[in-house]
């Protein structure tokens, strides 16, 4: 993983096989989305609270309180939540099935449309040899959701270069032990190995669900030590799907 420092904050980043213009734009969106989320998390560390309890220590719904404004800032307000979609799948007899659903976010960034599914869970970083099944399951669900909306993505009409389906799995690194400097150092020293474990355990080559991006915010020590537990890092594991040329892209390139 590569170290990235910005605005006094420290991150570690990793990507694999992201080389096209669309993929590099998706990589940039993930990177700066994490930066903005980190900035918003820091706002919860002030004298108005008895203790520092940032949104990433809660559930996916609470996480939205920092992710949505961060995404809106990066996309200049061109963001929709809970966009209705029709999901298409096939049964064991290869019969098409349709169902109604919603994707978490639709947005436009750098002239590309993004359709985003979000999941949030936790990773006990001291269990260094495996990832828990209840951490893996949301990733699998997220990827199935994104696969089933391809037809709806092809039908979108906004004038952009194409549609990118993007899966984002936020993982809060933790241990139940009380925060101390040794536990923080243990996480910092093992971040590269944790990334390898997460990306190996989450992904499946046969189903093509292996992550191709990861970024970790190395949470400042001063914030970690204010907790009864240890939360030393926030992971953003990403799955960038191939670009879809939708109805709107034909008008975009015609201009």
């Amino acid at each position: 993983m590569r170290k990235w420092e910005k605005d006094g904050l420290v991150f570690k980043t990793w990507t694999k096989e992201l080389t096209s213009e669309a993929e590099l734009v998706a990589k940039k969106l993930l990177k700066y989305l994490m930066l903005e989320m980190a900035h918003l998390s820091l706002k919860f560390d002030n004298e108005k609270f008895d203790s520092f309890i940032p949104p990433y220590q809660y559930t996916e719904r609470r996480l939205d309180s920092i992710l949505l404004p961060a995404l809106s800032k990066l996309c200049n307000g061109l963001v929709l939540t809970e966009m209705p979609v029709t999901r298409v799948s096939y049964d064991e007899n290869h019969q098409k099935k349709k169902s109604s659903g919603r994707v978490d976010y639709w947005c436009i960034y750098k002239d590309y449309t993004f359709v985003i599914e979000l999941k949030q869970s936790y990773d006990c970083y001291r269990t260094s040899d495996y990832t828990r099944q209840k951490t893996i399951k949301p990733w699998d669900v997220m990827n199935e959701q994104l696969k089933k909306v391809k037809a709806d993505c092809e039908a979108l009409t906004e004038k952009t270069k194409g549609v990118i389906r993007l899966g984002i799995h936020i993982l809060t690194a933790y241990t139940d032990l009380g925060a101390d400097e040794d536990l923080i150092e243990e996480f910092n020293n093992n971040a590269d190995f944790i990334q390898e474990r997460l990306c190996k355990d989450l992904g499946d080559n046969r189903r093509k669900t292996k992550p191709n991006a990861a970024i970790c915010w190395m949470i400042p020590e001063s914030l970690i030590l204010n907790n009864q537990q240890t939360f030393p890092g926030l992971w953003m594991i990403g799955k960038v799907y191939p670009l879809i040329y939708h109805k709107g892209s034909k008008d975009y390139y015609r201009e």
Side-chain angles (χ1 to χ4, degrees), residues 147 203-210:
K147 290 176 181 178
D204 185 312
N205 275 329
R206 179 177 55 83
R207 292 186 291 111
K208 299 181 180 180
T209 60
K210 275 197 171 294

Side-chain angles (χ1 to χ4, degrees), residues 50-233:
D50 291 333
S51 59
F52 174 67
I53 306 178
Y56 55 76
Q57 288 180 211
Y58 291 95
T59 62
E60 179 183 321
R61 184 170 293 182
R62 183 71 62 87
L63 187 70
D64 196 48
S65 63
I66 56 173
L67 194 151
L68 180 56
L71 190 61
S72 182
K73 177 181 178 180
L74 292 171
C75 298
N76 195 29
L78 295 177
V79 179
L80 295 175
T81 63
E82 299 295 324
M83 186 179 77
V85 292
T86 298
R87 300 192 190 278
V88 178
S89 60
Y90 296 86
D91 61 22
E92 62 274 8
N93 298 317
H94 304 289
Q95 297 296 310
K96 183 184 290 188
K97 298 191 301 181
K98 293 184 178 181
S99 61
S100 297
R102 298 177 185 275
V103 292
D104 291 321
Y105 307 97
W106 166 100
C107 64
I108 295 177
Y109 178 72
K110 302 291 185 184
D111 256 351
Y112 286 94
T113 297
F114 283 84
V115 171
I116 301 172
E117 288 286 2
L118 172 70
K119 299 298 178 188
Q120 189 270 348
S121 53
Y122 294 82
D123 179 64
C124 185
Y125 69 90
R126 303 194 84 224
T127 56
S128 58
D129 57 342
Y130 72 97
T131 305
R132 298 179 306 172
Q133 187 59 38
K134 65 179 180 180
T135 299
I136 297 172
K137 186 176 180 180
W139 174 265
D140 290 338
V141 171
M142 177 190 74
N143 279 282
E144 286 304 310
Q145 290 174 325
L146 287 170
K147 290 176 181 178
K148 292 176 181 178
V149 298
K150 183 178 180 181
D152 254 25
C153 290
E154 291 172 342
L156 292 174
T157 58
E158 61 272 10
K159 296 178 182 179
T160 58
K161 293 181 179 180
V163 180
I164 301 171
R165 290 168 293 163
L166 177 61
I168 298 177
H169 195 175
I170 302 294
L171 293 166
T172 304
Y174 83 97
T175 176
D176 286 328
L177 298 176
D180 66 39
E181 293 179 355
D182 289 339
L183 291 172
I184 298 169
E185 184 178 8
E186 180 181 347
F187 176 81
N188 293 343
N189 290 341
N190 288 288
D192 286 21
F193 298 103
I194 295 169
Q195 175 266 315
E196 291 178 7
R197 167 176 60 80
L198 288 172
C199 290
K200 176 178 70 70
D201 293 349
L202 288 176
D204 185 312
N205 275 329
R206 179 177 55 83
R207 292 186 291 111
K208 299 181 180 180
T209 60
K210 275 197 171 294
N212 44 23
I215 182 168
C216 184
W217 176 31
M218 315 301 284
I219 298 173
E221 184 177 291
S222 60
L223 304 183
I224 304 168
L225 295 175
N226 287 340
N227 267 291
Q228 293 182 343
Q229 297 170 288
T230 305
F231 299 91

Side-chain angles (χ1 to χ4, degrees), residues 4 7 9 11 30-43 66-67 69-71 73-74:
W4 176 49
D7 301 339
L9 300 173
F11 305 86
L30 287 169
K31 186 176 180 179
Y32 283 94
L33 182 60
M34 178 62 98
L35 174 65
E36 294 299 332
M37 288 173 62
H39 280 307
L40 290 170
S41 295
L42 294 176
K43 292 182 180 294
I66 56 173
L67 194 151
L71 190 61
K73 177 181 178 180
L74 292 171

